[in-house]
């Protein structure tokens, strides 16, 4: 029997600050175990935490993007529990008052919009890692030894707690992907899931079919990918359904997801539930966030994806679906915007001062957007239809042509944009096509050549002899030659076999070495054969 | 007069005038340590004689070259063994930290060195600063130099005994509920608990973080004041330090306290206070009055709840602060324990003393789900009421005068079976920690049995200059500066 479920998430994201949350150790990944530690993050006797403001600012970004209410005065608390990778015996987190409360994530589930409520957003420190390493020989024989790497201790985390508003596995997936996209967009986390930069815990309960009340929730921890979240939810919904179907009741449990075995095993049950004995952290004062600080963060904050897509529609007249494709990842969006600006410049539609507005001005901050909008408002000689047209063309190039090359060659777009194909160079390739200097197949060859060599685009055009033939008399000669070579096909075409026109255009193109303007060829053929 | 009998002011003048050298001063401290440590047990570790003499020699050479020296140049200072000192070990008088040598110095220790002081060694204390008698130490009890059959007070009993007996000129202690002032009172010296946030706690091994402050000890007011000036001020490594400027703490004696408003709470001389103590305190108040101070009675509404509130909150914080001692990464680990749970359980069971375990359990209980509101939260509310009492009292008064403790030093093991009686002896000292204000203890006489009586002077937060002024004037006018006692030779128990 199909049951209604209520799903909520706690999403933990490691914040991409320069230093750790309470000390000056570098916040990086990799390196030798226990190489990025100090008395503070090791929790040595007498060491004290001092809050890193950058961690707070990244947290504020998240709160602003999710339209949460930022708490003017929040506080830190100690969550007391014992684990070898938690050197102080407690985690510094936020409990009674948190950085922000409320807010929502706007999720698109197969075309239907859904708002998932946010309960609170808080910042806290990450723990270290326990590694079990086998050893072979010692007095007690072989076995395994627990080792602790404290490098991760004190890495800042933002935790985003949702309301249990999610009612299907599909919605859960859409929620996680959307929230992840927002976090990446805001530049608050490196976001590498396989490194554990972003981790999910979920709670699931089944709604009573009769009175609609929520059942006892169970929590599943240790979800490290969208896929494992989906599998874990399926596992848990089925498990709870089986218990209820058999007339049983759900006991509150915390389960740990085992991705390999694809099952969740109980960590602890209600009877042995951990009492974290939260109390205010006496080593840190209250976290006071005034409007000035919020405004400062807002000014330099990257645009969240939905706003970014909206701006692309408003500024460039892009279609909604195009804008969404472009803003799936900030790298693509920035590359698109730089390329478009360069294209407008190359075509003489925008001032020379526009080079790479998006990446150069960190586009993305309010300040940069204001500057860019001033530049665009000063653009001359561009008709209201022309900008959307060029924007769609540019979008097509970035996502389809360049996208295909990136996929085939296994290079990521950011690397390409920073090395062989900066936005300005891509813009010149596109300009050659837009101006009609090259035809479509030649443009593709030009793109590959522009990536493979460092020659200027106009020299490439010449060297590879890609310039499109648009001269009417040359094309007429080519067409005449082809007509003479294929009398039988001409006869059949005249007899009404219209599809043969495509064959003849192809033959002319072949005859021209691919350089003839295919539109002109079609027109000339029609004219010479006297067909409409 | 022998060198070890000099107060800080006398010692510093002698160094400046070239009457003796820093080497002489260190030699005399070491000689005294050799003579009385057997009876007192004030130190857990004394630095190597050669190292100390080399360091003192450098100060002397710098002085001879006419270099500008720090305010504490060449002065032997003892440091309580819960303040981190790199290379000197830091045990908190606990087995659990045996062998632990911190990889860094506490901010106060850095500042001590910058001021030119010479750290002679690390002093004994109640384990993790939990106690009022210095009997709860893995390194054995400390004895009171005035009567080795009595306790020196705690938890900074080692520091107090060392200064009182002339083993060091100055000492750093720590005060969470009276741990500098009560032993200072019992040992007849000056002990200061500065306002919360005045001295960095970075490197002070936490007992109860919202109360702990490093304090200073000396046989004269100026020594405690000068030492405090050297270690005070904001520290980027301690978010609870204050940005308020550090003013002058020392000054000239004027013989005048006119206009200074002195408040004396009724309970200062009331029930539970030893009559001799009450008498000595009232005599001290009379001296202040004779210097022109306006004296009036005062009532602190909620002070009867101070001890209960203090022990709930302090133990709650302690239960969390001491969770890190698991024998895994540093310190001592139970012998032969195997497996994570066994290592942790056995280490904590075997290596913490009874008093520490008692407080961890009480604190854990006060924070437990279902008890938090009734214990921790209610205690915090009482704490706010007590702080408010002081805030309104300091609208009417500049300082508040009480005994430091209801009685002079008690006998060893007198409260061994009654921890509550021991806790109640903190009745006059804990309020200042609850309210985060400044307080000091200084001697105001000897009891009929020859034991020092401590006078406590309390001032509002960051009003240390007023507190020192009253103390300095009283010290000069009363003439109560106790001699260094003869220390009777006794055999300590194991």
């Amino acid at each position: 029997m199909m049951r209604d479920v209520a799903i909520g998430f706690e999403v933990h994201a490691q914040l991409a600050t320069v230093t750790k949350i309470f000390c000056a150790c570098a916040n990086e990944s990799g390196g030798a175990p226990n190489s990025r530690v100090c008395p503070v993050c090791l929790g040595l006797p007498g060491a004290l935490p001092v809050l890193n403001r950058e961690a707070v600012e990244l947290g504020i970004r998240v709160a602003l993007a999710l339209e949460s209410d930022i708490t003017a005065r929040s506080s830190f608390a100690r969550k007391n529990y014992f684990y070898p990778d938690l050197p102080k015996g407690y985690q510094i987190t936020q409990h009674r008052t948190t950085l922000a409360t409320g807010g929502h994530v706007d999720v698109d589930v197969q075309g239907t919009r859904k708002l998932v409520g946010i309960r609170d957003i808080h910042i806290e420190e990450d723990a270290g890692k326990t590694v079990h390493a086998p050893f072979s020989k010692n007095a007690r024989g072989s076995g395994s030894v627990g080792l602790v790497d404290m490098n991760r201790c004190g890495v800042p985390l933002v935790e985003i707690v949702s309301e249990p508003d999610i009612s299907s596995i599909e919605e859960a997936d859409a929620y996680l992907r959307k929230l992840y996209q927002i976090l990446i967009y805001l530049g608050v986390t490196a976001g590498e899931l396989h490194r554990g930069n972003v981790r999910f815990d979920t709670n699931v309960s089944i709604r009573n079919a009769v009175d609609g009340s929520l059942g006892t929730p169970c929590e599943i921890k240790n979800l490290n990918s969208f896929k494992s979240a989906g599998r874990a939810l399926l596992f848990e919904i089925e498990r709870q359904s089986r218990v209820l179907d058999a007339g049983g009741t759900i006991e509150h449990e915390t389960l740990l997801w085992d991705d390999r075995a694809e099952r969740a095993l109980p960590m602890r049950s209600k009877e042995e539930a951990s009492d974290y004995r939260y109390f205010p952290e006496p080593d840190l004062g209250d976290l006071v966030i005034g409007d000035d600080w919020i405004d400062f963060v807002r000014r330099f904050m990257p645009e969240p994806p939905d706003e970014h897509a909206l701006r692309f529609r408003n500024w460039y007249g892009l279609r909604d679906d195009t804008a969404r494709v472009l803003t799936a990842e900030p790298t693509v969006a920035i590359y698109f915007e730089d390329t478009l600006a360069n294209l407008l410049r190359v075509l003489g539609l925008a001032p020379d001062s526009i080079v790479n507005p998006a990446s150069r001005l960190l586009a993305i901050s309010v300040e940069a957007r204001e500057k860019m909008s001033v530049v665009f408002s000063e653009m001359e000689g561009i008709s209201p239809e022309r900008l959307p047209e060029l924007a769609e063309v540019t979008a097509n190039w970035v996502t389809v042509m360049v996208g295909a090359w990136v996929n085939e060659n296994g290079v990521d777009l950011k690397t390409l944009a920073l090395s062989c194909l900066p936005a300005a160079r891509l813009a010149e390739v596109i300009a050659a096509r837009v101006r009609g200097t090259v035809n479509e197949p030649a443009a593709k060859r030009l793109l590959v050549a522009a990536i493979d060599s460092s020659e200027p685009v106009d020299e490439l055009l010449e060297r590879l002899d890609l310039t499109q033939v648009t001269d009417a008399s040359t094309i007429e000669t080519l067409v005449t030659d082809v007509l003479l070579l294929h009398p039988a096909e001409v006869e059949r075409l005249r007899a009404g076999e219209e599809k043969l026109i495509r064959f003849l255009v192809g033959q002319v193109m072949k005859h021209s070495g691919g350089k003839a303007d295919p539109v002109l060829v079609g027109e000339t053929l029609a004219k010479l054969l006297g067909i409409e | 007069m022998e060198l070890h009998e000099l107060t800080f002011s006398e010692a510093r003048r002698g160094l400046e005038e070239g009457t003796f050298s820093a080497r002489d001063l260190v030699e005399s401290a070491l000689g005294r340590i050799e003579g009385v440590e057997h009876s007192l047990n004030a130190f857990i570790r004394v630095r190597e004689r050669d190292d100390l003499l080399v360091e003192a020699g450098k100060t002397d050479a710098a002085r001879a070259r006419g270099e500008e020296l720090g305010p504490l140049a060449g002065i032997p200072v003892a440091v309580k063994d819960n303040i981190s000192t790199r290379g000197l070990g830091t045990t908190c008088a606990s087995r659990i930290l045996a062998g632990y040598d911190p990889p860094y110095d506490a901010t106060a220790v850095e500042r001590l060195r910058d001021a030119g002081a010479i750290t002679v060694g690390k002093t004994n204390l109640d384990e993790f600063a939990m106690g009022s008698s210095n009997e709860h130490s893995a390194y054995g009890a400390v004895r009171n130099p005035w009567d080795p059959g009595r306790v020196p007070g705690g938890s900074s009993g080692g520091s107090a005994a060392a200064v009182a007996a002339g083993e060091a000129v100055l000492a750093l202690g720590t005060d969470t509920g009276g741990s500098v002032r009560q032993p200072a009172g019992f040992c007849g010296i000056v002990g200061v608990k500065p306002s919360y946030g005045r001295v960095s706690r970075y490197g002070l091994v936490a007992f109860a973080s919202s109360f702990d402050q490093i304090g200073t000890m000396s046989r004269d007011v100026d020594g405690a004041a000068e030492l405090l000036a050297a270690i005070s001020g904001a520290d980027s490594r301690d978010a609870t330090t204050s940005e308020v400027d550090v003013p002058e703490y020392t000054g000239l004696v004027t013989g005048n306290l006119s206009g200074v408003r002195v408040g004396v709470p009724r309970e200062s001389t009331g029930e539970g206070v030893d009559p001799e103590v009450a008498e000595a305190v009232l005599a001290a108040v009379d001296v202040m009055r004779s210097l022109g101070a306006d004296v009036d009675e005062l009532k602190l509404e909620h002070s009867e709840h101070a001890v209960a509130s203090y022990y709930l909150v302090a133990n709650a914080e302690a239960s969390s602060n001491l969770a890190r001692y698991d024998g895994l990464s540093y310190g001592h680990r139970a012998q032969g324990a195997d497996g994570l749970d066994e290592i942790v359980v056995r280490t904590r069971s075997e290596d913490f003393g009874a008093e520490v375990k008692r407080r961890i359990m009480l604190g854990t209980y006060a924070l437990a789900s279902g008890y938090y509101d009734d214990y921790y939260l209610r205690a915090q509310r009482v704490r706010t009421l007590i702080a408010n009492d002081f805030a309104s009292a300091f609208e009417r008064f500049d300082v508040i005068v009480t005994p430091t403790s209801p009685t002079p030093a008690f006998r060893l093991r007198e409260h061994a079976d009654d921890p509550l009686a021991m806790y109640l002896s903190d009745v006059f000292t804990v309020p200042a920690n609850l309210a985060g204000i400044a307080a000091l203890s200084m001697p105001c006489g000897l009891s009929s049995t020859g034991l020092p009586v401590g006078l406590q002077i309390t001032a509002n937060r960051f009003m240390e200059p007023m507190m020192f002024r009253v103390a300095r004037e009283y010290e000069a006018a009363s003439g109560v500066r106790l001699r260094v006692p003869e220390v009777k030779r006794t055999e300590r128990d194991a």
Side-chain angles (χ1 to χ4, degrees):
Chain A
M1 147 183 184
M2 198 54 208
R3 295 175 184 270
D4 283 347
V5 293
I7 299 166
F9 280 102
E10 292 172 13
V11 174
H12 298 80
Q14 290 183 333
L15 294 170
T17 52
V18 178
T19 57
K20 292 183 179 180
I21 187 167
F22 297 124
C23 64
C25 288
N27 176 17
E28 291 165 1
S29 58
N34 300 309
S35 59
R36 285 184 304 278
V37 292
C38 73
V40 176
C41 56
L42 284 178
L44 289 187
L48 296 171
V50 176
L51 180 62
N52 177 353
R53 287 174 63 92
E54 192 191 1
V56 178
E57 289 176 1
L58 297 185
I60 294 175
R61 280 189 191 179
V62 177
L64 288 173
L66 303 187
E67 296 182 349
S68 306
D69 296 321
I70 294 169
T71 314
R73 180 181 285 270
S74 63
S75 58
F76 289 90
R78 291 188 184 176
K79 180 181 183 179
N80 295 285
Y81 67 96
F82 174 76
Y83 206 70
D85 64 15
L86 191 72
K88 297 189 295 297
Y90 55 84
Q91 178 196 30
I92 303 178
T93 179
Q94 296 194 286
H95 183 58
R96 293 218 159 189
T97 53
T98 56
L99 179 77
T101 54
H104 54 84
V105 174
D106 201 338
V107 180
D108 181 282
V109 193
Q110 286 141 7
T112 312
R113 188 171 171 228
K114 160 133 192 170
L115 289 185
V116 176
I118 296 298
R119 186 171 291 169
D120 76 71
I121 299 173
H122 57 268
I123 52 176
E124 61 187 20
E125 60 180 341
D126 209 342
K129 278 182 187 165
T130 313
V131 195
H132 289 278
F135 62 81
S136 52
K137 277 201 172 163
N138 79 350
R140 289 190 295 267
S142 59
S144 88
V145 61
L147 300 171
V148 185
D149 178 2
M150 305 287 195
N151 280 344
R152 202 175 69 177
C153 288
V155 166
L157 293 173
V158 63
E159 180 174 335
I160 301 143
V161 184
S162 84
E163 298 288 353
D165 287 350
I166 297 163
S167 46
S168 69
I169 295 174
E170 292 71 32
E171 280 181 23
D173 187 68
Y175 168 77
L176 288 180
R177 286 178 192 273
K178 183 61 181 284
L179 182 56
Y180 177 80
Q181 183 198 17
I182 292 169
L183 296 175
I184 293 294
Y185 237 90
L186 296 174
V188 299
T189 180
E192 292 183 63
L193 292 168
H194 66 280
R195 286 188 194 275
N197 291 153
V198 184
R199 283 134 34 198
F200 320 121
D201 297 342
T202 186
N203 51 73
V204 186
S205 54
I206 289 184
R207 212 174 271 286
N208 185 305
V210 181
D211 62 11
S213 64
L214 278 182
T216 308
C218 290
E219 198 182 350
I220 311 176
K221 289 179 174 287
N222 196 33
L223 307 172
N224 293 314
S225 68
F226 302 124
K227 212 190 246 177
S228 59
R231 284 181 189 156
L233 285 172
L234 184 62
F235 172 92
E236 180 59 13
I237 293 167
E238 287 180 351
R239 185 189 71 85
Q240 290 191 26
S241 299
R242 273 197 308 275
V243 172
L244 294 173
D245 288 348
T249 51
I250 303 298
E251 295 289 329
H252 178 82
E253 274 185 293
T254 300
L255 306 139
L256 196 64
W257 179 249
D258 181 340
D259 213 29
R260 276 201 201 132
E262 289 194 33
R263 61 183 178 161
L265 292 175
M267 265 175 87
R268 48 180 177 255
S269 62
K270 197 176 182 180
E271 300 84 67
E272 45 188 309
S274 190
D275 179 0
Y276 292 124
R277 305 189 312 281
Y278 287 99
F279 74 102
E281 167 56 275
D283 289 332
L284 293 167
D286 284 349
L287 173 55
V288 178
I289 302 175
D291 290 344
D292 289 358
W293 200 7
I294 297 173
D295 288 343
F296 173 81
V297 173
R298 199 196 308 269
R299 262 200 105 58
F300 296 97
M301 173 168 141
E303 214 168 13
D306 286 353
E307 274 114 278
H308 206 156
L310 185 65
R311 183 168 66 83
F312 276 5
R313 279 161 53 197
N314 290 342
W315 281 23
Y316 306 128
L318 283 169
R319 295 196 312 267
D320 184 52
D321 56 344
T322 313
R324 291 206 172 274
V325 169
L326 287 173
T327 53
E329 281 175 56
T331 318
V332 178
I334 291 171
Y335 193 52
F336 159 78
E337 197 159 28
D338 280 350
T339 305
L340 177 59
N342 279 290
L343 178 64
L344 294 169
R345 179 178 53 78
V346 171
L347 296 176
L349 298 167
D352 284 348
S353 57
I354 290 198
V355 183
N356 291 325
S359 53
R360 215 183 63 195
L361 298 172
L362 267 178
I364 35 191
S365 72
V366 172
E367 197 149 87
R369 290 196 289 276
E370 282 168 4
K371 276 190 195 156
M372 278 170 53
S373 89
V374 170
V375 173
F376 277 103
S377 68
E378 285 168 355
M379 270 197 294
E380 285 165 17
I382 187 156
S383 67
E385 301 82 33
R386 186 84 172 123
L387 184 58
E389 197 184 306
L390 290 172
E392 289 290 347
V393 167
T394 305
N396 187 56
W397 272 86
V398 168
T399 56
V400 180
M401 314 270 247
V402 179
W405 189 91
V406 162
N407 285 339
E408 277 165 29
N409 293 278
V411 176
D412 81 313
L413 185 65
K414 200 168 187 175
T415 313
L416 186 71
L418 287 172
S419 57
C420 325
L421 195 65
R425 191 166 172 83
L426 175 60
E428 287 185 60
V429 174
I430 301 173
R433 177 70 199 111
V434 169
R435 283 183 178 131
T437 314
V438 292
N439 60 27
E440 197 72 24
K444 282 182 186 163
R445 284 179 60 199
L446 182 63
L447 173 70
V448 174
I451 294 170
D452 287 342
S453 86
S454 56
E455 271 175 83
V457 171
D458 47 352
E459 286 176 24
L460 277 175
L461 277 169
E462 241 172 76
R463 181 165 69 78
L464 299 174
D465 194 19
L466 292 172
T467 309
Q468 180 166 252
V469 176
T470 51
D471 176 65
S473 65
T474 313
I475 288 183
E476 223 171 278
T477 310
L478 286 165
V479 171
T480 312
D481 287 352
V482 167
L483 292 179
L484 289 171
L485 281 167
H486 298 282
E489 282 78 5
V490 172
E491 204 57 37
R492 280 160 59 200
L493 176 62
R494 286 222 167 100
E497 216 173 319
E498 277 180 27
K499 66 177 184 193
L500 280 167
I501 189 106
R502 289 226 309 270
F503 167 76
L504 291 171
V505 170
Q507 289 303 309
V508 176
M509 290 304 291
K510 201 171 162 187
H511 207 58
S512 74
K515 290 164 60 187
D517 178 347
V519 177
L520 212 52
V521 170
E523 286 169 9
T524 310
L525 260 172
K527 193 183 79 184
L528 290 182
L529 292 173
I531 46 181
E532 292 293 304
Chain B
M1 193 182 232
E2 294 193 52
L3 285 186
H4 74 254
E5 293 177 283
L6 300 179
T7 63
F8 166 77
S9 305
E10 291 159 350
R12 188 165 68 173
R13 198 179 315 120
L15 287 171
E16 282 167 1
E17 291 171 356
T19 320
F20 46 81
S21 69
R23 273 182 75 98
D24 297 336
L25 216 48
V26 166
E27 289 269 24
S28 98
L30 286 172
R32 186 66 177 165
I33 288 169
E34 212 167 286
V36 301
E37 259 310 90
H38 182 77
S39 306
L40 297 184
N41 195 31
F43 284 89
I44 289 176
R45 259 162 287 111
V46 177
R47 276 175 69 201
E48 288 297 322
R49 176 186 188 84
D50 290 350
D51 293 347
L52 286 168
L53 290 178
V54 166
E55 197 176 319
K58 283 182 185 160
T59 306
D60 289 331
R63 195 186 296 277
R65 287 194 299 271
E67 286 176 24
E68 198 175 318
L69 298 173
L72 305 178
I75 300 291
V77 180
V79 176
K80 189 177 179 180
D81 206 26
N82 61 346
I83 300 173
S84 299
T85 47
R86 182 181 191 155
L88 266 184
T90 297
T91 65
C92 296
S94 180
R95 277 169 56 94
I96 215 160
L97 278 174
Y100 169 65
D101 190 18
Y104 72 104
D105 277 325
T107 298
V109 170
E110 276 181 5
R111 292 182 178 180
L112 207 58
R113 194 170 40 239
D114 291 345
I118 296 173
T119 301
V120 289
K122 303 295 294 290
T123 53
N124 205 341
L125 64 149
D126 283 300
E127 185 177 2
F128 283 102
M130 296 175 179
S132 310
S133 68
N134 218 136
E135 293 169 297
H136 309 297
S137 164
Y139 295 84
V142 179
R143 308 296 189 110
N144 192 315
W146 294 86
D147 176 357
R150 291 179 185 267
V151 302
S155 66
S156 309
S159 287
V163 169
E167 295 176 288
V169 177
L170 302 174
L172 292 183
T174 65
D175 193 313
T176 304
S179 280
V180 162
R181 291 160 287 155
Q182 184 253 22
F186 280 11
C187 292
I189 62 168
V190 179
V192 177
K193 183 208 92 78
S195 307
Y196 190 79
R198 183 72 297 180
V199 179
S200 169
R201 292 184 295 116
Y202 190 74
L204 157 60
V205 180
F207 155 18
S209 312
S210 70
F211 303 94
D212 295 340
Q213 274 289 291
I214 294 177
T216 61
M217 298 169 126
S218 171
R219 290 185 42 249
D220 57 355
V221 172
D222 270 0
E226 196 72 83
L227 181 55
L228 181 62
I231 61 171
S232 288
D235 179 11
S236 61
R237 291 173 295 189
D238 176 0
T240 62
T241 52
S242 166
E243 297 290 333
V244 171
D245 280 340
V246 180
E248 282 282 318
Y249 291 150
T250 51
L252 295 174
V253 174
T254 60
N256 187 355
L257 282 179
S258 64
V260 173
R261 301 163 302 170
V262 175
V264 184
R266 243 171 276 168
E267 56 270 26
S268 274
T269 51
E271 201 189 331
V273 178
D274 182 301
E276 283 191 335
V277 169
E279 198 182 315
V281 169
L282 289 175
V285 170
D286 282 339
V287 172
M288 294 175 191
R289 196 182 277 116
S290 71
L291 293 170
D294 298 326
V295 179
D296 203 355
E297 206 175 62
L298 135 93
K299 180 151 178 56
L300 293 166
E301 205 68 45
H302 301 91
S303 52
E304 59 179 311
H305 305 297
V307 171
S309 162
Y310 167 78
Y311 275 94
L312 278 168
V313 178
N315 290 346
E317 292 181 6
S319 71
S320 172
N321 283 328
L322 271 63
R324 71 192 64 196
Y325 305 108
D326 53 19
L328 296 180
S329 312
Y330 51 83
H332 189 254
R333 181 186 291 186
Q335 292 293 306
D338 192 19
L340 184 60
D341 289 349
E342 197 187 324
I343 290 173
V344 175
V345 170
R346 278 194 42 204
T347 298
R348 290 173 68 86
S349 304
E350 292 170 16
D351 290 348
F352 280 139
E355 181 63 22
V356 170
K357 282 190 267 195
R358 170 165 31 239
R359 297 203 194 196
I360 290 174
M361 284 189 276
L362 286 169
T364 303
Y365 190 77
L367 289 175
S369 159
Y371 298 102
Y372 179 89
D373 288 357
D374 281 347
Y375 293 100
Y376 178 84
L377 213 55
R378 182 174 295 190
Q380 284 287 29
R381 279 200 289 268
V382 171
R383 184 180 187 177
T384 305
L385 293 174
I386 287 170
N388 293 343
D389 283 353
F390 277 106
S392 43
F394 283 121
E395 284 170 14
R396 286 177 56 214
F397 298 103
D398 297 304
V399 293
I400 296 170
V401 169
T402 65
T404 305
S405 307
T407 65
F410 42 86
R411 292 184 183 286
L412 283 157
R413 282 183 294 282
E414 190 172 327
H415 294 320
D417 302 324
D418 191 357
L420 192 60
M422 186 99 92
Y423 296 168
L424 288 171
S425 73
D426 299 336
V427 61
F428 292 119
T429 50
V430 293
N433 302 82
L434 286 163
I437 56 183
L440 64 69
S441 174
M442 64 190 298
C444 64
L446 290 176
S447 71
S448 54
T449 49
L451 294 172
V453 176
L455 173 76
Q456 177 172 251
I457 302 173
T458 305
N460 209 352
R461 192 153 182 227
F462 302 125
M463 294 304 281
E464 278 86 357
M466 173 56 81
M467 174 182 81
F468 282 124
R469 179 183 162 200
V470 173
R472 193 165 48 236
E473 297 295 344
Y474 169 71
E475 181 184 55
S478 69
V480 182
R481 181 181 292 161
L482 303 179
R483 63 190 160 76
V484 172
E486 291 294 323
V487 177
K488 270 186 255 162
R489 214 176 150 75
T490 52
E491 291 304 315
R492 281 194 276 121
D493 349 53

